[in-house]
Amino acid sequence: MTDHGTTGKTAHVIADDAEALALAAALADEFRAGASARDTERRLPRAELDRLSGSGLLAVTVPAEYGGADVSAQTLAEIFRLLGSADGSLAQIPQSHFAYVNVIRRQGTADQQKFFFTELLAGRRFGNAQSEAGTKHVQDIRTRLTLQPDGSYELTGVKHYSTGALFADWIPVLARTDDDNLHVAYVPRDAEGVTVVDDWDGMGQRTTASGTVRLEAVAVPVDRVLPHHLTFEGPQLHGAVAQLLHAAIDAGIAGGALAEAAEFVRTKSRPWFESGVETAAEDPLLIQRFGELALQVRASEALLIQAARAVDAARADLSDDSAADASIAVAAAKVYAAQAAVEVAGALFEVSGTRSALNSLNLHRHWRDARTHTLHDPARWKIQHIGRYVLNGIRPPRHGLL
């Protein structure tokens, strides 16, 4: 175990997958204890994110040649599932972080990789500024990188749903250059012209601070800009990995909701008078329902593992076919995990009884987190791509949402 640092911040450097999983499990247990109170009070998890950064978990995908653990997709998905089972808001914050680490892995020059991987190993955090409101569709990006006479860029635009930006050291910004090609500009959180507004008021994932980022004539050196459009010109796993982490969050929320429902029924619920049993946990109809819900959770976890293995296999031998297999496997995992998260979190009340609806208990945070997170992108289009692939052998399109 070693420490690695840049100015002002140091972090533990994780050695391998096993250590990453052990740390994730321990931190999930730690974060679970305060999750409900953080949600109720909308207390932003700054201390918890510092713990996450300091643990080294945010650097686990740094390549081995730069000193990182370079964990498998299966390990990364399990890290997010564990965090999601504890706190569906906290787990969402680093999702974009890892997506933009992947951009550096795929499109960064040797100097860019050395710089940013050193930052990551020191515990630096990436936020995101990608989505825009009021445009024609989600990929209609209006934010502009304008080339300046000295070869640098000027960045201007407004971003919404900017999860992680408020807590970030660097904000990756999705923008178009004058030729309309898509790039990512990595901008310091405290750069002149950058304003992060905590105006997120979603019913769920309340502590993600997924608010607005305003960029007003922000100066960006050329070596902080990466050509993201090149990512999609050949077989790629950018979208598959990003969606895998979303699926892991949903599977985690489903598992966390089921565990809390079981604990509530064992300790607080009363049996229905017609059941003839002494405790709610002995009610055969409740036992049946818990069995059905457990099947949904287990199936979501199994599909998540299968999808992660498909991503790992494609990474080892990347081709149009292996990338398509991975994208379809991830799409299946995401569709099922999203359904499981919403349904299991809703069934929590069905099995627990009237008392579970008390606002003071805040058991509805699981459903609110699930319902909010699963709106990220529509499952119906994933099902379309799965059907086309199975029936007609049509590979899914190359974009960051599949």
Side-chain angles (χ1 to χ4, degrees), residues 206-217:
R206 297 181 68 230
T207 62
T208 58
S210 301
T212 302
V213 173
R214 301 185 187 280
L215 306 147
E216 299 176 21

Side-chain angles (χ1 to χ4, degrees), residues 350-372:
E350 170 198 336
V351 296
S352 300
T354 305
R355 186 182 173 192
S356 65
L358 292 178
N359 204 48
S360 58
L361 295 176
N362 198 27
L363 293 177
H364 47 66
R365 74 178 175 89
H366 299 288
W367 184 86
R368 288 186 291 102
D369 284 347
R371 184 64 281 176
T372 301

Side-chain angles (χ1 to χ4, degrees), residues 4 13 35 50 108 122 131 158 166 221 251 255 295 315 338:
H4 194 297
V13 176
D50 285 343
S131 294
V158 179
L166 190 69
L295 284 176
R315 184 175 287 160

Side-chain angles (χ1 to χ4, degrees), residues 50-338:
D50 285 343
R51 290 277 291 135
L52 200 58
S53 296
S55 74
L57 280 174
L58 297 184
V60 292
T61 58
V62 170
E65 59 265 35
Y66 289 93
D70 201 7
V71 302
S72 67
Q74 187 171 343
T75 292
L76 189 62
E78 178 62 4
I79 290 169
F80 272 79
R81 190 195 68 79
L82 287 165
L83 294 175
S85 73
D87 185 337
S89 278
L90 186 56
Q92 178 63 27
I93 293 171
Q95 189 276 336
S96 291
H97 169 96
F98 284 99
Y100 286 106
V101 174
N102 279 348
V103 174
I104 295 167
R105 288 188 60 146
R106 175 99 177 187
Q107 301 301 341
T109 65
D111 286 344
Q112 287 171 329
Q113 290 181 349
K114 181 179 179 181
F115 175 80
F116 279 114
F117 292 152
T118 299
E119 288 283 282
L120 291 165
L121 289 170
R124 303 285 183 183
R125 292 194 290 265
F126 291 166
N128 96 83
Q130 52 188 13
S131 294
E132 300 178 12
T135 56
K136 186 176 181 181
H137 51 70
V138 71
Q139 292 198 327
D140 181 17
I141 302 298
R142 308 284 176 89
T143 299
R144 288 286 159 176
L145 273 167
T146 304
L147 190 62
Q148 303 299 293
D150 65 358
S152 68
Y153 288 94
E154 184 178 273
L155 179 64
T156 300
V158 179
K159 299 290 188 175
H160 297 83
Y161 311 116
S162 302
T163 305
L166 190 69
F167 314 109
D169 298 291
W170 292 89
I171 303 176
V173 181
L174 210 54
R176 295 192 185 277
T177 46
D178 292 338
D179 57 9
D180 216 35
N181 282 327
L182 204 58
H183 290 69
V184 178
Y186 290 75
V187 179
R189 162 70 179 83
D190 58 359
E192 186 175 352
V194 175
T195 305
V196 181
V197 184
D198 179 20
D199 55 0
W200 170 243
D201 67 347
M203 68 172 181
Q205 296 194 309
R206 297 181 68 230
T207 62
T208 58
S210 301
T212 302
V213 173
R214 301 185 187 280
L215 306 147
E216 299 176 21
V218 180
V220 184
V222 68
D223 60 356
R224 297 293 177 261
V225 177
L226 280 72
H228 193 34
H229 62 99
L230 297 180
T231 298
F232 305 102
E233 290 189 355
Q236 53 82 37
L237 297 170
H238 180 82
V241 172
Q243 288 290 305
L244 180 71
L245 303 187
H246 283 305
I249 293 167
D250 289 337
I253 292 172
L258 182 63
E260 190 143 10
E263 176 66 14
F264 192 94
V265 170
R266 282 194 297 264
T267 60
K268 296 183 177 67
S269 294
R270 297 182 297 177
W272 184 244
F273 71 95
E274 292 177 287
S275 68
V277 296
E278 291 297 314
T279 67
E282 297 172 283
D283 184 332
L285 298 182
L286 280 181
I287 289 170
Q288 176 74 19
R289 189 66 177 120
F290 269 96
E292 293 167 350
L293 297 174
L295 284 176
Q296 287 187 274
V297 172
R298 284 175 175 263
S300 69
E301 293 170 355
L303 284 170
L304 184 70
I305 292 170
Q306 184 184 63
R309 288 175 176 169
V311 170
D312 284 327
R315 184 175 287 160
D317 184 18
L318 189 60
S319 66
D320 284 331
D321 286 336
S322 67
D325 286 343
S327 288
I328 292 299
V330 171
K334 177 66 168 64
V335 169
Y336 196 89

